[in-house]
Amino acid sequence: MKIGHLAKSVGIDIQTVRYYESQGLLTEPNRMENGYRDFPVDSIKRLQFIKKAKLVGFTLKEIKELLAIQVTKDKHTCQEVKNFTQIKLDEINQKIKKLTEIESALKKIHSLCCGGSEKASHCSILQALES
Amino acid sequence: MKIGHLAKSVGIDIQTVRYYESQGLLTEPNRMENGYRDFPVDSIKRLQFIKKAKLVGFTLKEIKELLAIQVTKDKHTCQEVKNFTQIKLDEINQKIKKLTEIESALKKIHSLCCGGSEKASHCSILQALES
DNA sequence: ATTGACCCTATAGTATACTTTAGGGTTTAT
DNA sequence: ATAAACCCTAAAGTATACTATAGGGTCAAT
Ligand SMILES: [Zn+2]
Ligand SMILES: [Zn+2]
Ligand SMILES: [Zn+2]
Ligand SMILES: [Zn+2]
């Protein structure tokens, strides 16, 4: 399977495929006589895996680690894999919590600002966050 | 307050403080006779806000805008501030929504995994990412 | 035979957000 | 007085994740 076909069927850029290969996220494909890359069919799955994992907030480095676990499944335990996602889950929940704090601070400013004539001269996002 | 003290009390690097100043996230501090920066006390709050906002995925540019929101009657009209905070609120809610989606997707696959010490060949997290 | 679509490598560029280095001057404690 | 600890600027380097460019070869169709 040529790179263009692969890229298209996954919905990413050709350059990105080559980039992923260069970063070790795809194993080096065979070459055809003319030098073109000849990807095995399951590269599609692998790229879809990468895409999905990226979508849920994994970095390429992390994805590489995940892929390494994936290809040597019998050398790793469910516990390892589960720990990995647990850490990510914790991170995401932390983020949601902080965002909610910022949101309510902003909301406060937002509602403060429609009263018109009252003194609001010192109101900033920093002060709104304090209380 | 000297830069080292400030940096330490917020838990970031001195260089980073100077970088933020250079990017306009901190207002230019006064200088002491010897040329050392003399930060006002509330720089701590400002930096803590930056830290928090960064953690939840705001870029420095966005943080700069957030910090610039001040309900100052003499500088902005109520309309302006209100419009701006509304836009930012929408952005934040978008972020929360996205993160929540990612969280539930991750949670779902996370809960499928047995987490046991057996080999990950059957691991449902990996299967879920594959499919 | 030539156009257009495809493939190749290597290198450089982009954006964000630092971090490090080089080469200094200043303060504080012993 | 001298060493450790602190401060300064300016510029270069790093990491992430691409994206673009230059310069060229290959393939299918008209
Ligand atoms: Zn107002
Ligand atoms: Zn108002
Ligand atoms: Zn299991
Ligand atoms: Zn499992």
Side-chain angles (χ1 to χ4, degrees):
Chain A
M1 178 183 247
K2 282 189 280 182
I3 195 167
H5 187 183
L6 174 62
K8 203 165 198 176
S9 58
V10 179
I12 62 176
D13 203 277
I14 287 179
Q15 311 277 40
T16 306
V17 176
R18 286 201 273 252
Y19 175 68
Y20 287 166
E21 186 195 324
S22 81
Q23 300 305 298
L25 279 97
L26 301 175
T27 48
E28 267 192 34
N30 293 330
R31 295 299 179 125
M32 307 190 295
E33 280 152 38
N34 55 18
Y36 288 14
R37 287 172 180 79
D38 187 13
F39 287 97
V41 186
D42 62 0
S43 297
I44 294 179
K45 261 188 192 165
R46 217 177 156 86
L47 277 177
Q48 280 167 345
F49 179 96
I50 294 169
K51 210 179 166 186
K52 207 173 232 177
K54 255 178 56 67
L55 210 73
V56 295
F58 289 103
T59 65
L60 292 191
K61 201 181 159 199
E62 289 167 333
I63 294 170
K64 206 174 161 184
E65 288 172 0
L66 266 177
L67 282 165
I69 291 175
Q70 196 206 0
V71 296
T72 52
K73 282 180 192 167
D74 36 341
K75 291 207 172 124
H76 296 272
T77 63
C78 265
Q79 202 178 22
E80 283 177 85
V81 180
K82 195 159 185 164
N83 280 347
F84 209 89
T85 49
Q86 182 61 61
I87 289 166
K88 271 285 143 185
L89 265 176
D90 291 347
E91 279 174 24
I92 290 168
N93 281 321
Q94 263 291 314
K95 280 187 189 188
I96 290 174
K97 199 183 146 208
K98 303 239 169 186
L99 260 181
T100 309
E101 281 168 22
I102 291 177
E103 194 229 355
S104 66
L106 207 53
K107 234 176 192 162
K108 199 169 167 186
I109 293 176
H110 185 74
S111 64
L112 266 178
C113 193
C114 59
S117 59
E118 79 260 30
K119 248 198 226 166
S121 342
H122 332 286
C123 184
S124 72
I125 195 159
L126 297 180
Q127 272 154 16
L129 266 173
E130 264 175 63
S131 48
Chain B
M1 180 185 247
K2 280 190 282 180
I3 195 167
H5 186 183
L6 173 61
K8 202 163 199 176
S9 57
V10 179
I12 63 175
D13 203 278
I14 287 179
Q15 312 278 41
T16 306
V17 177
R18 287 201 273 252
Y19 175 69
Y20 287 165
E21 185 195 325
S22 81
Q23 301 303 299
L25 279 99
L26 301 175
T27 48
E28 267 193 36
N30 294 330
R31 296 298 180 127
M32 307 188 296
E33 278 153 40
N34 54 18
Y36 288 14
R37 287 171 180 78
D38 187 12
F39 287 96
V41 186
D42 62 1
S43 298
I44 294 179
K45 266 184 204 155
R46 218 173 156 89
L47 279 176
Q48 280 167 343
F49 176 85
I50 294 170
K51 213 179 166 187
K52 197 183 230 174
K54 254 180 57 59
L55 209 76
V56 298
F58 285 104
T59 64
L60 293 191
K61 202 182 156 198
E62 289 168 332
I63 295 170
K64 203 174 161 184
E65 286 174 359
L66 280 174
L67 282 167
I69 298 174
Q70 307 239 345
V71 188
T72 12
K73 283 195 280 188
D74 35 331
K75 284 202 176 150
H76 301 282
T77 66
C78 278
Q79 261 296 317
E80 278 179 290
V81 176
K82 191 139 180 106
N83 284 346
F84 193 75
T85 49
Q86 184 60 62
I87 288 166
K88 288 291 153 191
L89 266 175
D90 290 347
E91 284 172 14
I92 287 169
N93 282 320
Q94 267 294 313
K95 263 182 206 222
I96 291 175
K97 200 183 147 204
K98 228 178 213 167
L99 270 178
T100 307
E101 276 167 22
I102 289 173
E103 195 236 352
S104 65
L106 205 53
K107 216 177 194 169
K108 204 170 168 185
I109 61 177
H110 180 76
S111 66
L112 288 173
C113 177
C114 72
S117 55
E118 75 252 41
K119 283 167 187 170
S121 327
H122 73 281
C123 182
S124 22
I125 290 177
L126 297 176
Q127 273 163 28
L129 285 168
E130 273 165 40
S131 61

